[in-house]
């Protein structure tokens, strides 16, 4: 039944996206080019509405049941209901932003409400972690704020990488596929089903969103995907060891690292953390000579490597995991240095990378 549901979710996304495209033009949910944008013509956004609709269709066709491991106490409503309500709130927030470009505070309010529904209403929270060398770290009163910060942080991280055709949708699909595989390994059919349905919906949307894009997902899609990924990652790895808690961080390595470097960059330059710029990873790769399509595919590859590393990390011993993290940190630093050198007109380096890519 799951395979049939995935096919139907994919088809639903294929069918709904052109309808949403026409709706976007009709209601004025369009993205106009400016100095910070890569595209040069008016583009319809709101595409995330097609992803959301396809996901809802797939969910109600399959109706995945929560297992005992998904049940959390105390909860006012079932976690599945909380997720759907939170997803609706975050999607409405995105739709309003795509239509009217609401303020950052209004968007943050929508994100907070969506997260609070899942955390307070559904009871999903990181209440404690078991330390690797014995003992337990209980977050106490900080568990709810920390969980809400996680959800809002990942939601915005996905939103920040939505700068090129197909980038956010593709990276999200890779993260969701990794989540589905991980949930399958851990014997969690509920998380596996939701992640797989959402991945199928995103792939259908990518048919129209990959370069050259016919429609953008807009904040509707970026916020919805970020919210769902953050919640599903929490459901799979709550109340466990420090080592296991690192798995979703590795899995979401691309958006998290890009967001981290953006914050460091803006603090160093004494700018607002929410200020927009053209120094994200995809901008840097474009600036050093890669084409639009090549840049997106390179970041896809990096995201896939992070996903593979997360899978390996989940099966590794403690010291093996520490070694893997060390290698990854070194690799990230080397990559940052390579991009920095290339940005200073080290053209032979870029030509070599392009040659390898062929």
């Amino acid at each position: 039944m799951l395979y049939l549901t995935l096919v139907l979710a994919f088809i639903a996304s294929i069918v709904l996206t052109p309808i949403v495209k026409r709706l976007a033009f009709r209601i004025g949910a369009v993205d106009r080019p400016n100095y910070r944008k890569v595209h040069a013509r008016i583009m319809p956004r709101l595409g995330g509405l097609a992803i959301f609709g396809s996901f809802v269709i797939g969910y109600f066709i399959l109706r995945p049941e929560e297992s005992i491991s998904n049940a959390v106490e105390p909860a006012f409503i079932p976690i599945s209901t909380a997720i759907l309500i939170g997803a609706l709130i975050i999607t409405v927030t995105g739709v309003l932003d795509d239509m009217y470009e609401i303020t950052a505070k209004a968007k943050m309010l929508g994100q907070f409400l969506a997260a609070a529904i899942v955390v307070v209403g559904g009871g999903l929270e990181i209440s404690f972690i078991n330390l690797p060398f014995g003992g337990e770290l209980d977050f106490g009163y900080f568990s709810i704020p920390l969980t809400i910060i996680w959800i809002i942080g990942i939601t915005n991280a996905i939103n920040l990488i939505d700068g090129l055709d197909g980038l956010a949708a593709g990276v999200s699909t890779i993260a969701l596929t990794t989540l589905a595989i991980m949930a399958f390994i851990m014997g969690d059919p509920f998380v596996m089903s939701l992640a797989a349905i959402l991945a199928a919906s995103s792939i259908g949307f990518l048919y129209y969103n990959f370069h050259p894009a016919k429609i953008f997902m807009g904040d509707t899609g970026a916020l919805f995907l970020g919210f769902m990924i953050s919640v599903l990652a929490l459901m799979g790895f709550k109340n466990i060891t420090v080592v296991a808690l690192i798995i979703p961080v590795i899995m979401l390595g691309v958006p998290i690292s890009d967001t981290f470097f953006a914050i460091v960059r803006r603090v160093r330059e004494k700018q607002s953390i929410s200020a927009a710029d053209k120094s994200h990873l995809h901008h840097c790769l474009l600036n050093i000579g890669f084409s639009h399509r090549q840049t997106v595919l390179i970041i896809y590859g990096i995201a896939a490597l992070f996903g593979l590393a997360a899978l390996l990390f989940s099966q590794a011993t403690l010291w093996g995991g520490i070694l893997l993290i060390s290698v990854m940190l070194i690799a990230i630093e080397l990559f940052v240095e390579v991009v920095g050198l290339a940005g200073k007109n080290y053209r032979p380096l870029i030509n070599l990378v392009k040659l390898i890519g062929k």
Side-chain angles (χ1 to χ4, degrees), residues 173-332:
T173 300
I174 293 169
L176 288 164
T177 302
T178 305
L179 260 173
I181 295 172
M182 196 79 70
F184 174 78
I185 294 174
M186 297 175 66
D188 192 335
F190 183 75
V191 172
M192 180 192 71
S193 298
L194 264 59
I197 293 170
L198 195 51
S201 302
S202 297
I203 293 172
F205 175 72
L206 263 174
Y207 177 77
Y208 301 96
N209 184 235
F210 195 73
H211 186 72
K214 300 177 180 65
I215 184 173
F216 293 160
M217 68 164 59
D219 273 22
T220 305
L223 294 179
F224 170 62
L225 287 174
F227 171 78
M228 290 298 298
I229 290 172
S230 65
V231 170
L232 293 177
L234 268 186
M235 291 186 68
F237 305 100
K238 63 182 187 297
N239 295 348
I240 32 67
T241 64
V242 171
V243 174
L245 194 61
I246 297 173
I247 293 174
V249 177
I250 297 175
M251 194 184 307
L252 300 168
V254 168
I256 288 177
S257 59
D258 195 35
T259 301
F260 172 77
F261 286 120
I263 292 174
V264 171
R265 182 172 62 249
R266 290 165 189 173
V267 169
R268 185 184 60 202
E269 296 175 359
K270 297 181 180 179
Q271 296 179 342
S272 170
I273 292 178
S274 60
D277 59 32
K278 294 192 70 173
S279 298
H280 291 285
L281 174 59
H282 53 276
H283 291 128
C284 293
L285 291 174
L286 287 173
N287 291 337
I288 61 180
F290 289 107
S291 69
H292 195 126
R293 187 182 294 263
Q294 287 172 331
T295 297
V296 171
L297 292 176
I298 287 172
I299 298 178
Y300 281 2
I302 297 172
L305 288 175
F306 273 117
L308 178 61
L311 291 171
L312 293 175
F313 188 86
S314 68
Q315 305 301 312
T317 62
L318 173 61
W319 291 109
I322 292 174
L323 177 62
L324 181 59
I325 290 176
S326 301
V327 171
M328 286 184 61
L329 291 174
I330 294 172
I332 291 172

Side-chain angles (χ1 to χ4, degrees), residues 28 30-32 34 37 45 94-104 106-107 219:
V30 295
D31 198 346
R32 291 178 170 80
N34 59 38
K37 306 291 179 64
R45 42 193 183 188
V95 169
L96 292 174
D97 189 57
D98 286 339
M99 290 176 61
Y100 306 113
E101 295 188 0
I102 60 178
T103 65
K107 278 200 293 186
D219 273 22

